[in-house]
Amino acid sequence: AEEEAEAEAAEAAAGQQAAQEPLVAEAEGLRLHLSSSSSTGYKGVSKSTSNIFVAKRAASGRQVSLGQFGTAVEAAVAYAQAVGEYQPPASPTLSSRLPEAAPQADPVAEAEGLRLHLSSNGTGYKGVTKQYDRKFQAAWIFDGTPKYLGSFDTAVEAAVAYARAFGEAPAVVADFEGLRLHLSSSNRTGYKNVVQQSATRFQAFNKVDGRRLCLRTFDTAV
């Protein structure tokens, strides 16, 4: 009985610690769906009794499982990949109080000798978000926690800071072994459905009926 009580106490403590972890608004180049009504802080993400986080989405009036994950952020990323990243509503009241900004230039692939991490987000660069004071903030996620790199006058400057901290973007190829590859500007490997597991291993996966299926692991992203 004492062992069961200790196990329950440890699980409760772990759950409390997970609940206290700070939420992140963006991960893996995607804006996540935050939710004040969810115990995890993320829409479509719930926590099981074994400290595993489950991602689900609604489809045809029923809940479809997207997989189980070790952290709430990973589950939130899977949800955003399935339903599309969060699109913040326009705020005309706030915009009317701010000075009009100059049109943003198209993203550039390289700056200061570094390949930048391009993204389909609002700034055009992964890890870069626009602040209300017209500044650009650079941050990257480490172990589910955002590491802020500073505030900059332009998106390019913030993207350079991100590339210096995280490493420059990989050089991707569009064709290999007679096949046209699926490129992705929102994935840090540069390829769709390819994730980096360690410094030297990459995993390819596919989604079938809303479930993520591992294909194989490889030495290179290509």
Side-chain angles (χ1 to χ4, degrees):
E2 292 182 0
E3 292 180 355
E4 291 181 358
E6 291 176 357
E8 291 177 357
E11 183 176 335
Q16 184 176 5
Q17 181 179 1
Q20 293 174 349
E21 291 180 357
L23 299 177
V24 296
E26 183 176 327
E28 295 191 18
L30 296 171
R31 289 190 296 269
L32 306 183
H33 296 259
L34 303 185
S35 172
S36 59
S37 61
S38 172
S39 61
T40 64
Y42 300 100
K43 184 177 180 180
V45 177
S46 60
K47 184 174 177 294
S48 71
T49 56
S50 56
N51 293 325
I52 296 297
F53 294 86
V54 179
K56 293 183 179 180
R57 63 166 297 185
S60 301
R62 62 189 184 91
Q63 292 292 314
V64 178
S65 175
L66 303 175
Q68 297 182 340
F69 305 87
T71 67
V73 172
E74 291 175 315
V77 167
Y79 181 84
Q81 289 174 336
V83 305
E85 67 176 339
Y86 171 71
Q87 298 295 332
S91 179
T93 303
L94 177 62
S95 300
S96 63
R97 297 200 301 265
L98 295 173
E100 183 148 350
Q104 184 175 320
D106 292 335
V108 296
E110 294 187 17
E112 298 188 18
L114 294 170
R115 289 189 302 273
L116 305 183
H117 295 260
L118 303 184
S119 173
S120 58
N121 68 18
T123 66
Y125 301 99
K126 182 178 180 182
V128 177
T129 55
K130 192 172 184 179
Q131 300 174 293
Y132 291 132
D133 59 0
R134 305 298 186 188
K135 295 279 189 178
F136 294 86
Q137 184 181 81
W140 65 300
I141 307 299
F142 181 76
D143 286 342
T145 303
K147 305 292 183 181
Y148 297 102
L149 305 173
S151 184
F152 304 86
D153 292 329
T154 67
V156 174
E157 291 175 312
V160 168
Y162 180 89
R164 284 176 176 160
F166 190 77
E168 65 178 329
V172 298
V173 296
D175 296 271
F176 189 72
E177 294 187 1
L179 297 172
R180 288 192 298 273
L181 307 184
H182 294 263
L183 305 184
S184 172
S185 61
S186 62
N187 193 336
R188 70 183 186 187
T189 64
Y191 300 100
K192 183 178 179 180
N193 289 2
V194 176
V195 295
Q196 186 169 2
Q197 291 186 308
S198 65
T200 58
R201 298 297 290 173
F202 297 83
Q203 183 188 85
F205 65 91
N206 192 15
K207 288 185 177 179
V208 178
D209 295 331
R211 300 184 62 185
R212 179 167 163 168
L213 302 178
C214 175
L215 301 177
R216 272 182 60 193
T217 56
F218 304 86
D219 294 330
T220 68
V222 175

